[in-house]
């Protein structure tokens, strides 16, 4: 279906500007679902204006703006941005684009604000734009059709620039006329006129336009991506080349806050903790285990629960274009995997410390010696804490698999704590709603 709907709008840099043909940047557009006539005309105008702005600001690149209309994508409103981001990255990988903007007429679900106008994911080099609140008819039903088209086009153009700025790590600005202004409403988009950090963005674009690993001769051979050994080697090379970007993505996700963000994970883990602490047989079994056995069991459980969550949240799913390598998707996958492992490790440590503290405060040596038929020492308490934390981690993983706030939305899309003022929903390097 996508191939049948594929169309390409080629926009080159001005002929008077020096253009290095090796520095090509492709910004793909994916139109998701149905649009009325006003939206269709406004989006066509917005794409043209974005192309004119970008090629004027950065004439040293050859720019392409492919367009795909995925009519079959009809998300229910409000839609989780990660659902559209995943569909957009499939198109990005298929077309070998550098960035992808997916546009929907549906509202975006925001966990932190009443609404969200857009959602960028630096990890996926993708962003979602919702036209629902960009239409001036939301505020004034008497708005003429031509004015609606002009306003929507202007706002989509400004929002697209703002999102591309986020994808290239540009910070917010205080000037309302700057495209990177920390916007709060759709009306703020009407005042945006210039981009202050052009030099910084150009440096980022030069890195983007550089040859990717999958574009080298080594990985261009047909069918190579289907070989497991080749995929492993590709992943290791990506890890070596992009470890700084991967670490930045993991740092933005803040996996050490998983126990606070994912309530079902924490509730399930600590519910199991309470039950286990009140069971004499668990004390006896836990304290009688050799420390090395408990440590090995904890590591095995950490790996197993992390893998379970990655699978359950579809972070390791195979994609329909996975007959070729993708450095972008590999970076996102490694960052998501590391984030989940660190998040589960943080949960384990939290349970471990809680068991140790509660055990020492509420369960005396005399009481434990009566339950476990041994004279407990600090070694026994540490061993028991590790044993209970391991079991609690299993319960937490089962609870986290039913989280309403998808872990995949946190990890696929790096996540900083939302800036409570911005109306753009930032999802991961993952980033989440601002």
């Amino acid at each position: 279906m996508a191939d049948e709907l594929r169309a390409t709008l080629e926009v080159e840099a001005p002929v008077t500007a020096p253009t290095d043909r090796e520095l090509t940047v492709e910004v793909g557009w994916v139109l998701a679902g149905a649009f009325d006539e006003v939206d269709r005309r406004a989006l066509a105008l917005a794409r043209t204006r974005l192309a004119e702005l970008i090629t004027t600001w950065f004439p040293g690149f050859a720019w392409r703006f492919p367009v795909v209309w995925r009519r079959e994508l009809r998300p229910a409103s409000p839609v989780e941005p990660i659902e559209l981001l995943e569909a957009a990255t499939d198109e990005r990988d298929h077309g070998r684009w550098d960035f992808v903007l997916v546009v929907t007429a549906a509202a975006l679900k925001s966990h932190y604000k009443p609404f969200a106008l857009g959602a960028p994911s630096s990890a996926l080099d993708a962003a979602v734009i919702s036209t629902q609140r960009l239409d001036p008819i939301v505020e004034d039903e008497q708005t003429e059709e031509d004015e609606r088209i002009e306003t929507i086009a202007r706002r989509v153009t400004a929002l697209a620039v703002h999102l591309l700025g986020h994808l290239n790590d540009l910070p917010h600005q205080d000037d309302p006329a700057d495209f990177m202004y920390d916007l709060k409403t759709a009306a703020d988009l009407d005042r945006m006129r210039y981009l202050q950090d052009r030099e910084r963005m150009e440096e980022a674009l030069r890195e983007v336009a550089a040859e990717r690993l999958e574009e080298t001769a080594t990985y261009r051979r047909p069918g190579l991506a289907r070989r497991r050994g080749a995929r492993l080697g590709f992943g290791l090379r990506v890890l070596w080349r992009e470890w700084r970007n991967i670490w930045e993505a993991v740092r933005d996700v803040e996996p050490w806050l998983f126990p606070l963000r994912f309530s079902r994970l924490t509730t399930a883990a600590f519910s199991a903790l309470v039950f286990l602490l009140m069971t004499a047989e668990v004390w006896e079994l836990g304290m009688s285990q050799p420390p090395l056995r408990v440590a090995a069991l904890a590591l095995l459980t950490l790996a197993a629960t992390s893998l379970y969550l990655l699978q359950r949240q579809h972070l390791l799913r195979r994609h329909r274009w996975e007959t070729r390598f993708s450095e972008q998707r590999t970076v996102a996958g490694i960052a998501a995997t590391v984030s989940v492992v660190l998040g589960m490790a943080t949960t384990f440590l939290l349970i471990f410390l809680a068991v140790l503290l509660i055990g020492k405060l509420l369960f005396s040596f005399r009481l434990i010696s009566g339950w476990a038929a041994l004279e407990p020492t600090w070694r026994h308490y540490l061993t028991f804490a590790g044993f209970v934390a391991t079991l609690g981690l299993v319960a937490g993983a089962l609870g986290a698999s039913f989280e309403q706030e998808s872990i995949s939305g946190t990890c696929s899309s790096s996540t900083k704590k939302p800036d409570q003022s911005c109306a753009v929903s930032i999802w991961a390097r993952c980033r989440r709603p601002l």
Side-chain angles (χ1 to χ4, degrees):
M1 173 69 77
D3 288 339
E4 295 175 0
L5 300 173
R6 192 174 299 276
T8 302
L9 171 64
E10 299 282 356
V11 184
E12 299 292 345
V15 294
T16 55
T19 301
D20 184 347
R21 287 295 171 183
E22 293 182 356
L23 295 180
T24 299
V25 180
E26 297 188 62
V27 181
W29 288 73
V30 176
L31 309 183
F35 295 89
D36 60 25
E37 180 64 22
V38 170
D39 277 345
R40 288 198 296 270
R41 292 171 60 186
L43 290 175
L45 183 58
R47 293 198 306 273
T48 301
R49 290 181 177 177
L50 177 67
E52 292 172 350
L53 275 176
I54 294 295
T55 53
T56 300
W57 288 342
F58 308 107
F61 300 85
W63 290 90
R64 297 181 67 249
F65 298 84
V67 181
V68 173
W69 192 352
R70 295 282 300 277
R71 289 181 174 87
E72 79 280 11
L73 290 178
R74 297 177 179 270
S77 184
V79 60
E80 284 282 3
I82 188 62
E83 297 178 16
L84 295 175
L85 288 170
E86 288 178 348
T89 52
D90 280 347
E91 292 294 343
R92 184 209 64 201
D93 289 347
H94 182 67
R96 299 294 188 181
W97 305 335
D98 297 291
F99 302 103
V100 59
L101 301 174
V102 56
V103 186
T104 179
L108 299 181
K109 185 177 293 185
S110 175
H111 298 280
Y112 298 91
K113 301 288 289 182
F115 64 90
L117 303 177
S121 167
S122 298
L124 299 176
D125 291 322
V128 179
I129 294 174
S130 170
T131 62
Q132 190 197 57
R133 289 182 174 269
L134 302 183
D135 192 336
I137 202 173
V138 173
E139 300 171 355
D140 183 3
E141 295 183 358
Q142 304 302 318
T143 306
E144 297 293 332
E145 181 175 295
D146 288 345
E147 184 180 350
R148 287 178 61 198
I149 293 172
E150 171 62 28
T151 302
I152 295 172
R154 181 174 62 249
R155 291 176 176 179
V156 169
T157 303
L159 186 54
V161 174
H162 186 93
L163 295 173
L164 287 172
H166 279 304
L167 297 185
N168 287 281
D169 294 326
L170 296 190
H172 281 140
Q173 299 293 336
D174 296 328
D175 187 352
D178 195 299
F179 280 104
M180 292 310 298
Y181 175 66
D182 192 6
L183 63 107
K184 302 171 183 63
T185 67
D188 290 334
L189 295 166
D190 298 329
R191 293 186 286 272
M192 296 180 175
R193 295 289 183 273
Y194 73 95
L195 185 66
Q196 177 178 325
D197 279 344
R198 284 194 212 170
E199 292 184 2
R200 181 171 177 174
M201 187 165 178
E202 182 168 356
E203 291 178 6
L205 288 171
R206 289 191 177 278
E207 293 184 11
V208 169
E211 186 179 52
R212 296 195 195 100
L213 187 58
E214 68 266 24
E215 295 171 342
T216 61
T218 305
Y219 293 104
R220 285 205 300 260
R221 286 178 288 170
L224 185 62
R226 294 188 178 94
R227 301 177 186 175
R228 184 171 300 177
R231 291 202 303 271
L232 177 60
F234 181 82
L236 291 175
R237 289 194 63 180
V238 170
L239 179 61
W240 175 258
R241 283 168 46 120
E242 300 292 335
W243 67 268
R244 286 188 178 87
N245 289 332
I246 292 170
W247 169 243
E248 288 178 4
V250 172
R251 185 183 60 191
D252 285 348
V253 172
E254 297 178 337
W256 41 88
L257 296 181
F258 268 33
L260 299 179
R261 288 203 181 116
F262 302 110
S263 59
R264 295 190 180 183
L265 182 155
T266 307
T267 300
F270 278 85
S271 296
L273 181 153
V274 172
F275 173 78
L276 294 171
L277 282 175
M278 301 304 296
T279 307
E281 289 81 358
V282 175
W283 282 89
E284 183 176 6
L285 180 62
M287 286 191 163
S288 64
Q289 299 300 314
L292 288 180
R293 181 185 297 172
V294 172
L297 181 63
L299 291 175
L300 181 62
T301 302
L302 176 62
T305 53
S306 298
L307 180 61
Y308 171 76
L309 280 183
L310 288 166
Q311 293 285 3
R312 181 75 179 181
Q313 295 286 334
H314 308 295
L315 292 171
L316 295 181
R317 70 185 181 97
R318 292 182 65 86
H319 299 273
R320 59 194 179 112
W321 307 123
E322 201 175 353
T323 57
R324 293 182 293 183
F325 295 106
S326 171
E327 183 175 309
Q328 292 166 302
R329 195 179 289 281
T330 302
V331 168
I334 294 174
T337 301
V338 173
S339 297
V340 170
V341 171
L342 289 179
M344 295 304 288
T346 302
T347 304
F348 175 88
L349 181 60
L350 187 63
I351 301 172
F352 178 88
L353 294 175
V355 172
L356 198 59
L357 179 62
I358 296 172
K360 288 299 295 179
L361 289 178
L362 302 181
F363 297 85
S364 65
F365 286 120
R366 179 177 300 179
L367 176 62
I368 300 305
S369 62
W371 282 358
L374 53 78
E375 289 298 326
T377 63
W378 267 105
R379 181 183 68 81
H380 292 102
Y381 275 97
L382 291 172
T383 303
F384 175 75
F387 181 75
V388 172
T390 300
L391 298 179
L393 194 65
V394 174
L398 294 174
S401 65
F402 297 101
E403 286 287 352
Q404 291 181 344
E405 181 181 347
S406 158
I407 292 179
S408 61
T410 304
C411 298
S412 291
S413 342
S414 13
T415 337
K416 283 193 174 181
K417 182 178 179 181
D419 178 339
Q420 297 300 323
S421 62
C422 186
V424 173
S425 169
I426 298 282
W427 284 74
R429 178 169 300 220
C430 294
R431 297 188 188 175
R432 300 191 309 172
L434 289 182

